[in-house]
Amino acid sequence: MIGQTVSHYNIIEKLGQGGMGVVYKAEDTTLDRLVALKFLPPHLNASAEDKLRFIQEAKAAAALNHPNICTVYGIEEHDGQMFIAMELVEGQTLRERRGTITFKQAIDIGIQIADGLAAAHDKGVVHRDIKPENIMVRKDGIAQIMDFGLAKLRNASSQINRLTKQGSTVGTAGYMSPEQVQGQDADHRSDIFSFGVLLFELITGQLPFKGVHETALAYEIVNVDAPPMSSIKPEVDPSLDAVVLECLEKDPNERTQSIKQVSIDLKRYRRESSRQRVSRITASRPAYSSTIQPPEPPEPAERQSGIAAPAPSTPAGSSKLPWIVAAIAIIAAAALGYLYMSGSKPQLKTVRSTLLPPESYAYASASGSAGEGHLALSPDGNTLAFVAIDSSGRTHLMVKAMSSYVSKELPSTEGAYYPFWSPDNRFIAFFQTGKLKKIEASGGPSITLCDASDARGGSWGRDGVIIFTPSAVDPILQVPASGGTPQQVTKLDSSLHQRTHRWPSFLPDGKHFLYFGRSSFGGVEREEDGIYVGSLDGKETKRLGIGKSNVVFASGFLLFLRENSLMAQRFDPDKLELSGEAMPIAEPVEYDLGYNRAVFSASENGLVVFQQSTSHSGFLLEWYDPKGRSLGTIGELGQYSDAILSPDGKSIAFDLYDAQTKNRDIWLYDIARKLRTRFTFDSNVDQVPVWSPDGSQINFQSDRKGHYDLYKKMTSGSGIEEVLVESETQKFPSSWSHDGKFIGFTAIEQKTSGDLWIVPLDGTATDRKPLLFLQTNFNEQNPVFSPDVKWIAYDSDESGSFEVYVRPFGYSNGTFTVSAGGKWQVSTSGINPNSFKRWSKDGKKIYFQSNDNKMMAAEIFAQGSNFSVGKVEPLFEIKNKGLSLFQDVTPDAQKFLFANAVGGESKAPVSLITNWDAELVKK
């Protein structure tokens, strides 16, 4: 074809040929530029499937725009020949560059490939054939991913994505993932495995799997673990080894879940390897101070935790190591003390270390009904308070002196969450069983200060005042540190549709504080969300900017989260003003989407601790029998909530958060067919589904008009979505009566918190005026009708913690009839307010989840106007290590549906950075 003109392209020379095409260099006569043209080979032109694959490649690549991906300009057909016009990349493939790439270049190229793949994966494109021949390195050093001929599009039809015969493999021998070798469906994690093989080969010059023929090679890929790169090249750093080996995990669920995470890890390695780092073989020390104490030797009888470090070359069984480490630390302390006494303050370096959890424990990401972020540094940086989870799934508040190897459990703190310190480092405040409490850091009994049903953080000021958010729908309150009646401090701004103020943090003057103001819900960020400064007298409120998480002040900077990076920006606490640019100090940081909380804490002397983000996050829906035995999971890992069974028990409606669109929609799941289909498609939040009694409709909540209103839609998908209730208040549906005549919902009012409302559905649409059922000074929520529609069960925090109550329900001529004194308390020791409660089909039991993770059943005796509660007993205890929320129960009460958090037990250790502010001062 050289010398011919095809369309408006003059063919200049042949660049290469592969199984899926021939590539030529050509001149675009229209735009006067050089391009590459890839032609479908003549012998494939007659195959409909090969044409589909060729179109697939063009669609996959054309959807991407990234410097590390070859740009596709278009796909055309000329005289029966199909071809793709794309960017002409002049350089060499990695295969051609074999043996000429330095170690530094290998890391740089690896980062570029990872960034390009991350962009592809974000668009739903899986390459499926990552290998040296498909990576081009330009003359300027830019690496670009080529050839999307085997790519898989997330939203493409099954015909387009079925590019091979059933049971056959897709990919290139030696670089395929185990799932590709076995002919299984391959998602983005398959690319991560192939990337791991590629990077392994770049660094060591060898493939990790070395079968002498394809069958043997396939066996190794599926069954034989890759060796560490350091076994081939001893100079390879263990941290780099860990990154690559995690990419090469056989099980996709155990593999690194995000190629973006791999890029972050490689960038961190490159950054840290370029500076002289302090060895991690000693316990972490406080930042520089005038008094430095040597670390205590470990006590084998106690639980231990410390800094992760390579084991020194000491004979096995030797007991001298701790004393050698202690001696080194004492010498270092003496040297620092001499410098201080001589008036020469040392130039301390930033040190990054790892804090391991106590033996047989893990750091808790979830405790009771609370989300993540259960760690707090003392103001002087000498002690870390944290919540740890034991092997049985129970959580405990623990403390660890930073100069010690030993962690200590504080008594009677099971189920504690969100700890924070007193300014004098003596006390730790925390939340437990619907109460705000405090305890001495050295131990002793805890003291209850006030009620806090479902708290969202607190802070202790220097003048003996504690500020806190008592529940998920409250502003910030204050209470004396000695205890008392809380008083409201902040006021929710209705013009911004604010739903809550949370994560308060005092500034140094003890009068002003930072907090997060949230207008969003369900993990969907809104522009109205922001970081604010408030004052105890309630006279000052200042918005500092858009934010999505908690914020603290330390060392002259505000610390907050931005795109999973912990950022620091200069802040004047007197003028209450930010200045300069925000700069990253740590990444990636764990972030709780539902609670808007990043997991980090800072001291007053230059220490920061943070939790590294974990690959697995979200929920799995799981069945349990009446004895608590697991009956298996449903669907895939996801950010599920509000999973509700259809009346016939054959389907589940739930809302699901999509991290790519940053939106939440309602989906339906057919249990028998194991098929998930999307039910709502609006660009705003659609969530909290409630089935009609015949299963033909779903009532749900949506913020399409700037506030959460009630809608309903046919489950068949026909018809239009109808607005049921529209107003400025935030509304949460929870029950549709069995006779189809009423919908019960919760409305959030600032003055009275949660109130119970009913929508009558009989009559015309204009008659459907919502009627107030119950309003008090407490939080009432989640009304659920009994099967005979004569009673309503609901939650209330009137006792200080949420409990289940029942009231009679009667309706006549547009009014409710409630008998005097008609209220019965069902639960007695607290419930999980984020879980559901359900009546049995015959109305003789109410099922609910206690706040200590037990599935409870209460006997109900109701006849006429008489009502009584019988035996209330646990059916079973959920042992999931993390947050477990009861969702629903089948009509025969033989299967209980739970949403179990994955990653509730944090596998990642806590990271420590000392003198982080010293690096920023240099900038």
Side-chain angles (χ1 to χ4, degrees):
M1 296 183 66
I2 297 173
Q4 295 183 26
T5 299
V6 176
S7 183
H8 54 93
Y9 301 101
N10 291 331
I11 308 297
I12 299 174
E13 63 178 290
K14 183 177 178 180
L15 296 177
Q17 181 171 346
M20 277 302 298
V22 184
V23 183
Y24 293 89
K25 180 179 179 179
E27 180 186 10
D28 183 342
T29 59
T30 302
L31 298 177
D32 194 22
R33 63 181 175 182
L34 294 176
V35 299
L37 302 182
K38 181 175 181 178
F39 286 83
L40 184 65
H43 70 280
L44 297 179
N45 264 317
S47 167
E49 184 173 78
D50 286 317
K51 284 187 176 182
L52 281 174
R53 183 185 295 179
F54 200 69
I55 295 170
Q56 165 84 338
E57 177 184 0
K59 286 185 175 181
L64 308 174
N65 181 17
H66 192 273
N68 298 119
I69 296 176
C70 178
T71 302
V72 166
Y73 299 137
I75 184 168
E76 300 181 37
E77 188 169 358
H78 181 77
D79 291 338
Q81 285 189 298
M82 296 185 68
F83 65 92
I84 299 172
M86 53 188 167
E87 175 186 7
L88 177 65
V89 181
E90 295 186 308
Q92 293 179 297
T93 66
L94 283 184
R95 180 66 69 207
E96 294 168 333
R97 291 282 305 272
R98 180 190 296 181
T100 66
I101 296 174
T102 66
F103 176 78
K104 182 178 181 300
Q105 289 173 330
I107 300 299
D108 289 339
I109 291 172
I111 290 171
Q112 293 184 64
I113 299 171
D115 287 342
L117 279 176
H121 292 173
D122 284 344
K123 293 289 187 179
V125 178
V126 182
H127 191 282
R128 299 202 294 182
D129 197 22
I130 294 297
K131 59 183 178 180
E133 291 83 353
N134 285 339
I135 308 298
M136 184 75 76
V137 181
R138 300 187 334 200
K139 295 178 181 179
D140 59 1
I142 300 297
Q144 290 189 300
I145 304 171
M146 314 286 290
D147 200 344
F148 281 74
L150 298 182
K152 177 182 178 181
L153 283 167
R154 180 178 57 232
N155 297 322
S157 67
S158 58
Q159 181 186 17
I160 289 290
N161 276 331
R162 193 186 69 249
L163 298 176
T164 57
K165 294 179 181 178
Q166 187 174 4
S168 64
T169 59
V170 175
T172 300
Y175 299 90
M176 288 189 290
S177 64
E179 54 267 35
Q180 284 178 295
V181 168
Q182 297 174 88
Q184 300 171 354
D185 190 27
D187 60 15
H188 68 282
R189 295 172 295 183
S190 179
D191 280 352
I192 295 174
F193 186 96
S194 300
F195 172 86
V197 175
L198 183 68
L199 192 55
F200 188 106
E201 184 181 26
L202 269 178
I203 293 171
T204 66
Q206 302 178 22
L207 284 170
F209 311 104
K210 303 176 181 177
V212 294
H213 49 77
E214 284 200 13
T215 302
L217 184 58
Y219 178 86
E220 283 207 10
I221 290 173
V222 174
N223 299 287
V224 180
D225 288 332
M229 295 185 297
S230 54
S231 66
I232 301 170
K233 288 198 169 187
E235 66 270 25
V236 173
D237 190 287
S239 64
L240 181 60
D241 241 343
V243 173
V244 175
L245 290 177
E246 194 170 357
C247 293
L248 295 174
E249 286 285 352
K250 306 294 185 188
D251 186 346
N253 293 320
E254 296 296 325
R255 198 176 301 156
T256 301
Q257 299 294 290
S258 164
I259 193 67
K260 184 176 181 180
Q261 180 62 56
V262 178
S263 172
I264 291 170
D265 291 340
L266 290 175
K267 289 173 184 175
R268 181 187 299 109
Y269 169 79
R270 180 176 63 182
R271 182 173 63 248
E272 292 185 353
S273 63
S274 66
R275 61 167 81 112
Q276 292 184 350
R277 291 183 296 165
V278 176
S279 173
R280 296 179 178 177
I281 62 172
T282 61
S284 64
R285 55 165 177 76
Y288 178 77
S289 64
S290 59
T291 305
I292 301 178
Q293 299 294 331
E296 303 172 13
E299 299 178 23
E302 305 236 15
R303 299 187 182 97
Q304 297 182 13
S305 67
I307 307 301
S313 55
T314 305
S318 171
S319 62
K320 296 180 180 180
L321 172 61
W323 298 101
I324 294 172
V325 173
I328 294 171
I330 291 171
I331 293 170
L336 286 173
Y338 171 77
L339 288 171
Y340 180 78
M341 295 300 291
S342 65
S344 300
K345 185 174 180 178
Q347 296 298 315
L348 297 177
K349 296 182 178 180
T350 299
V351 180
R352 299 175 187 268
S353 309
T354 302
L355 298 174
L356 298 178
E359 186 178 350
S360 302
Y361 281 75
Y363 292 116
S365 293
S367 169
S369 63
E372 300 184 17
H374 307 282
L375 52 85
L377 271 173
S378 60
D380 62 9
N382 288 334
T383 312
L384 177 68
F386 60 95
V387 176
I389 185 168
D390 63 24
S391 57
S392 67
R394 291 182 171 87
T395 54
H396 310 268
L397 181 60
M398 308 187 80
V399 291
K400 178 192 181 307
M402 305 301 281
S403 60
S404 172
Y405 295 94
V406 180
S407 296
K408 176 182 178 181
E409 181 182 320
L410 296 178
S412 303
T413 58
E414 184 176 331
Y417 61 101
Y418 297 143
F420 56 97
W421 287 83
S422 62
D424 61 2
N425 309 287
R426 179 184 171 188
F427 287 94
I428 301 171
F430 61 97
F431 302 96
Q432 182 189 40
T433 60
K435 305 291 183 182
L436 169 60
K437 299 182 178 183
K438 69 178 181 180
I439 190 172
E440 289 204 43
S442 58
S446 61
I447 301 170
T448 298
L449 303 180
C450 65
D451 293 334
S453 58
D454 187 21
R456 296 296 185 268
S459 184
W460 195 322
R462 68 181 189 183
D463 296 327
V465 175
I466 289 177
I467 53 177
F468 68 104
T469 304
S471 80
V473 293
D474 281 321
I476 294 169
L477 308 185
Q478 64 172 315
V479 68
S482 57
T485 302
Q487 302 295 324
Q488 184 171 329
V489 177
T490 62
K491 182 180 180 180
L492 301 178
D493 189 340
S494 59
S495 68
L496 296 174
H497 310 294
Q498 286 184 339
R499 299 186 60 254
T500 175
H501 295 160
R502 53 181 61 185
W503 318 127
S505 177
F506 268 112
L507 288 171
D509 65 2
K511 306 295 183 185
H512 293 86
F513 54 89
L514 305 161
Y515 65 93
F516 173 70
R518 186 167 100 165
S519 302
S520 58
F521 185 78
V524 180
E525 299 168 17
R526 297 294 186 219
E527 290 184 359
E528 294 88 349
D529 293 346
I531 296 171
Y532 292 82
V533 175
S535 61
L536 287 180
D537 59 15
K539 295 180 179 179
E540 291 184 79
T541 300
K542 182 177 182 179
R543 180 182 172 92
L544 297 178
I546 296 175
K548 67 174 184 176
S549 77
N550 46 314
V551 58
V552 301
F553 175 79
S555 304
F557 293 86
L558 288 193
L559 303 183
F560 56 92
L561 195 73
R562 179 182 294 169
E563 299 298 333
N564 291 100
S565 292
L566 184 59
M567 310 295 291
Q569 187 170 2
R570 288 193 177 279
F571 180 74
D572 188 327
D574 297 321
K575 297 180 180 179
L576 305 179
E577 293 179 354
L578 288 161
S579 63
E581 296 293 327
M583 296 169 281
I585 61 173
E587 61 176 2
V589 177
E590 185 73 4
Y591 174 64
D592 189 317
L593 183 72
Y595 289 72
N596 298 100
R597 184 170 176 85
V599 186
F600 72 92
S601 179
S603 69
E604 296 172 352
N605 61 339
L607 270 67
V608 163
V609 292
F610 69 95
Q611 189 92 60
Q612 292 188 14
S613 63
T614 53
S615 299
H616 298 276
S617 62
F619 287 85
L620 275 176
L621 299 177
E622 188 165 0
W623 291 114
Y624 293 89
D625 70 10
K627 293 185 177 180
R629 294 173 296 202
S630 175
L631 300 176
T633 59
I634 296 174
E636 302 174 349
L637 182 72
Q639 292 289 347
Y640 301 102
S641 64
D642 308 297
I644 312 299
L645 279 166
S646 60
D648 61 9
K650 296 180 179 180
S651 300
I652 300 173
F654 53 79
D655 50 72
L656 177 65
Y657 177 79
D658 186 334
Q660 292 187 355
T661 63
K662 294 187 177 181
N663 196 30
R664 188 175 285 273
D665 282 290
I666 295 172
W667 294 68
L668 302 181
Y669 184 85
D670 187 311
I671 297 174
R673 298 170 62 196
K674 298 181 179 181
L675 178 65
R676 187 177 79 182
T677 56
R678 188 169 172 177
F679 182 67
T680 61
F681 298 86
D682 195 84
S683 59
N684 290 284
V685 174
D686 296 329
Q687 59 188 4
V688 196
V690 174
W691 293 87
S692 64
D694 61 1
S696 66
Q697 300 178 78
I698 286 180
N699 169 223
F700 61 95
Q701 173 202 68
S702 181
D703 69 342
R704 303 174 187 187
K705 299 184 179 181
H707 35 73
Y708 287 102
D709 298 321
L710 302 187
Y711 292 73
K712 70 174 183 176
K713 180 181 178 180
M714 301 294 292
T715 53
S716 64
S718 62
I720 61 172
E721 296 169 348
E722 179 183 347
V723 180
L724 284 177
V725 181
E726 179 185 344
S727 66
E728 290 292 328
T729 59
Q730 313 300 334
K731 296 163 286 294
F732 301 83
S734 56
S735 179
W736 199 320
S737 65
H738 289 244
D739 59 7
K741 295 181 179 180
F742 306 98
I743 289 176
F745 68 93
T746 306
I748 306 299
E749 293 281 359
Q750 185 171 348
K751 292 182 179 179
T752 58
S753 297
D755 302 321
L756 307 185
W757 290 74
I758 307 294
V759 183
L761 297 181
D762 53 348
T764 65
T766 57
D767 297 330
R768 296 171 185 172
K769 180 181 179 181
L771 301 172
L772 180 64
F773 177 74
L774 181 62
Q775 183 179 69
T776 72
N777 291 327
F778 304 103
N779 271 312
E780 283 87 29
Q781 62 181 27
N782 303 330
V784 180
F785 295 99
S786 62
D788 60 7
V789 202
K790 293 182 178 180
W791 311 93
I792 286 183
Y794 64 96
D795 309 336
S796 175
D797 65 353
E798 62 183 82
S799 67
S801 61
F802 276 103
E803 303 284 0
V804 176
Y805 297 84
V806 171
R807 286 179 181 261
F809 174 73
Y811 178 77
S812 177
N813 298 322
T815 62
F816 297 113
T817 57
V818 180
S819 60
K823 180 182 70 172
W824 293 266
Q825 184 172 336
V826 177
S827 61
T828 57
S829 57
I831 65 168
N832 188 317
N834 294 317
S835 65
F836 291 91
K837 61 188 168 299
R838 298 289 179 228
W839 292 83
S840 63
K841 187 177 181 179
D842 58 10
K844 294 181 179 180
K845 287 185 178 180
I846 294 178
Y847 300 104
F848 62 91
Q849 181 181 354
S850 66
N851 60 11
D852 59 354
N853 232 25
K854 292 184 177 67
M855 188 69 247
M856 306 293 291
E859 288 184 333
I860 301 300
F861 301 97
Q863 187 167 1
S865 61
N866 297 318
F867 186 93
S868 62
V869 180
K871 184 168 55 177
V872 180
E873 60 181 356
L875 297 178
F876 56 87
E877 181 178 359
I878 299 298
K879 299 293 186 180
N880 181 54
K881 291 185 177 181
L883 186 63
S884 292
L885 297 175
F886 170 56
Q887 303 292 296
D888 211 340
V889 59
T890 55
D892 61 4
Q894 294 303 300
K895 295 170 71 176
F896 294 80
L897 183 63
F898 274 75
N900 290 332
V902 175
E905 170 194 0
S906 177
K907 298 180 180 179
V910 168
S911 295
L912 168 71
I913 311 175
T914 65
N915 303 301
W916 58 270
D917 51 327
E919 285 189 344
L920 298 183
V921 170
K922 294 177 183 178
K923 296 178 181 179

